[in-house]
């Protein structure tokens, strides 16, 4: 009987783009990956892995090396929202559940744009009489369905690929408002540089969110810790609570020493 050569993407039900996202997840966490290890973890040939790495390198998402790839660490690099959403999904859900414990019935909160804050938004039906300020289209769409949650949506210019609005319109809308808590995302957070993001316009919007909040809660998975991106939006002393999925004990103590409460999901 003649054997049929089934393509890798059909063989295990994963499409090429899904595999590439898994590769990016590995590179983000480990900073360096090999063709051999990726071939084993993905269950595909080394030639297929090399093709994926070639595509990702061409797209500027990693740097190919002899026998593998390394993370692209430029401070201005940022994955689009759909690409971010598949990275560390379980960790983001855990962070969101831990952050939900900080929200009380009747709170006015800010939800920054991002995939972790989106996970938090999906939990808000468990609270009553909330007012949520956000510039994230997907977050607004999710909480629109919750009967006891009111939404104040910040307008402005749509940042394509990131389902959020930026600009003076949104920032001016919330000037003079006061929120109990702001739940912020970041591309990097360190004690030396604070909370950072690749886009300077995004940073300006985030600064305004931080400024009107009584308490600032930073939601960061472990890959963002001790990383620095292009534009700072909050100094360490402006962050009250860090919620993360895991953290080195020595780093946790350093953060607590400067007044940041660290909650591990």
């Amino acid at each position: 009987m003649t054997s049929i050569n089934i393509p890798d993407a059909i063989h295990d039900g994963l499409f090429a783009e899904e595999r590439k996202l898994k590769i990016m997840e590995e590179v983000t966490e480990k900073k360096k990956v090999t063709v051999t290890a990726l071939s084993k973890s993905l269950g595909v040939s080394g030639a297929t892995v090399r093709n994926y790495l070639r595509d990702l390198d061409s797209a500027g998402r990693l740097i190919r090396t002899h026998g593998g790839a390394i993370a692209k660490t430029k401070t201005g690099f940022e994955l689009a929202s759909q690409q971010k959403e598949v990275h560390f999904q379980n960790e983001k859900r855990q962070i969101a559940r831990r952050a939900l414990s900080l929200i009380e019935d009747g709170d006015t909160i800010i939800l920054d744009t991002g995939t972790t804050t989106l996970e938090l938004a999906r939990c808000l039906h468990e609270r009553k009489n909330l007012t949520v300020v956000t510039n994230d289209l997907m977050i607004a769409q999710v909480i629109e369905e919750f009967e006891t949650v009111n939404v104040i949506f910040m307008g402005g210019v749509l940042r394509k690929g990131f389902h959020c609005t930026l600009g003076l319109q949104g920032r001016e809308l919330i000037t003079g408002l006061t929120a109990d808590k702001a739940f912020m995302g970041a591309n990097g957070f360190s004690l030396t540089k604070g909370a950072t993001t690749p886009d300077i316009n995004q940073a300006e919007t985030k600064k305004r969110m931080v400024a009107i909040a009584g308490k600032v809660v930073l939601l960061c998975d472990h890959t963002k810790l001790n990383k620095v991106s292009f534009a700072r939006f909050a100094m360490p002393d402006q962050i009250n609570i860090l919620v993360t999925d895991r953290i080195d004990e020595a780093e946790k103590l350093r953060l607590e020493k400067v007044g940041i409460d660290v909650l591990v999901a």
Side-chain angles (χ1 to χ4, degrees):
M1 181 180 293
T2 303
S3 63
I4 300 174
N5 183 22
I6 302 175
D8 287 327
I10 297 175
H11 181 74
D12 64 4
L14 289 175
F15 295 101
E17 287 305 312
E18 290 176 311
R19 282 211 186 90
K20 290 175 186 177
L21 288 170
K22 286 182 178 294
I23 290 172
M24 287 305 304
E25 185 173 312
E26 288 284 308
V27 171
T28 300
E29 182 172 15
K30 298 177 180 177
K31 307 307 175 191
K32 180 180 179 181
V33 293
T34 66
V35 169
T36 301
L38 290 172
S39 177
K40 184 177 180 180
S41 65
L42 295 174
V44 298
S45 67
T48 299
V49 171
R50 282 188 283 273
N51 287 336
Y52 292 157
L53 294 180
R54 188 179 302 112
D55 292 344
L56 291 168
D57 181 81
S58 297
R61 294 169 63 187
L62 52 68
I63 300 171
R64 286 178 66 206
T65 62
H66 179 70
I70 59 174
K72 192 180 182 79
T73 57
K74 289 184 178 180
T75 58
F77 177 71
E78 184 174 14
L79 292 174
S81 292
Q82 286 184 329
Q83 295 169 326
K84 289 179 183 178
E85 200 163 0
V86 299
H87 285 62
F88 304 105
Q89 284 181 312
N90 289 335
E91 289 85 348
K92 290 175 182 179
R93 291 189 186 107
Q94 291 166 4
I95 291 169
R97 293 301 308 179
R98 190 69 178 88
L100 181 65
S101 67
L102 301 172
I103 300 174
E104 302 174 5
D105 291 349
D107 273 350
T108 296
I109 65 172
I110 295 169
L111 288 187
D112 185 20
T113 186
T115 51
T116 306
T117 47
L118 177 59
E119 291 295 338
L120 177 57
R122 289 173 174 147
C123 302
L124 293 183
H125 65 279
E126 299 180 29
R127 298 291 184 268
K128 296 178 180 179
N129 302 320
L130 297 179
T131 297
V132 177
V133 180
T134 189
N135 67 329
D136 189 293
L137 293 169
M138 292 182 67
I139 288 176
Q141 185 177 29
V142 166
I143 59 181
E144 181 187 14
E145 304 298 321
F146 302 157
E147 189 174 342
T148 64
V149 181
N150 297 313
V151 185
I152 297 175
F153 186 73
M154 299 169 59
V157 178
L158 182 67
R159 188 182 181 201
K160 292 185 178 181
F162 295 86
H163 59 66
C164 68
T165 57
L166 302 174
L168 285 173
Q169 298 97 322
R171 296 199 292 270
E172 290 300 317
L173 174 67
I174 65 172
T175 297
L177 300 182
T178 301
D180 297 301
K181 298 142 190 167
F183 293 85
M184 307 297 297
N187 293 77
F189 176 67
S190 71
L191 273 177
T192 54
K193 296 295 184 179
T196 53
T197 184
D199 187 89
I200 192 168
N201 293 311
Q202 190 88 62
E204 290 303 312
T205 296
K206 287 173 179 283
K207 284 179 184 178
R208 190 65 59 93
M209 291 175 168
V210 168
I212 69 169
K215 183 175 291 186
V216 177
V217 183
L218 190 66
L219 309 183
C220 270
D221 68 67
H222 65 279
T223 65
K224 311 291 180 57
L225 301 179
N226 292 312
K227 301 294 187 300
V228 177
S229 199
F230 178 63
R232 179 170 57 216
F233 65 86
M235 292 294 292
D237 61 6
Q238 293 177 285
I239 306 297
N240 301 106
I241 301 172
L242 169 69
V243 186
T244 188
D245 57 306
R246 65 177 189 258
I247 187 172
D248 178 78
E249 186 62 28
E251 180 65 16
K252 181 174 181 289
L253 291 173
R254 282 193 290 271
L255 293 173
E256 291 174 340
K257 189 173 181 179
V258 299
I260 300 173
D261 292 333
V262 180
L263 303 181
V264 180

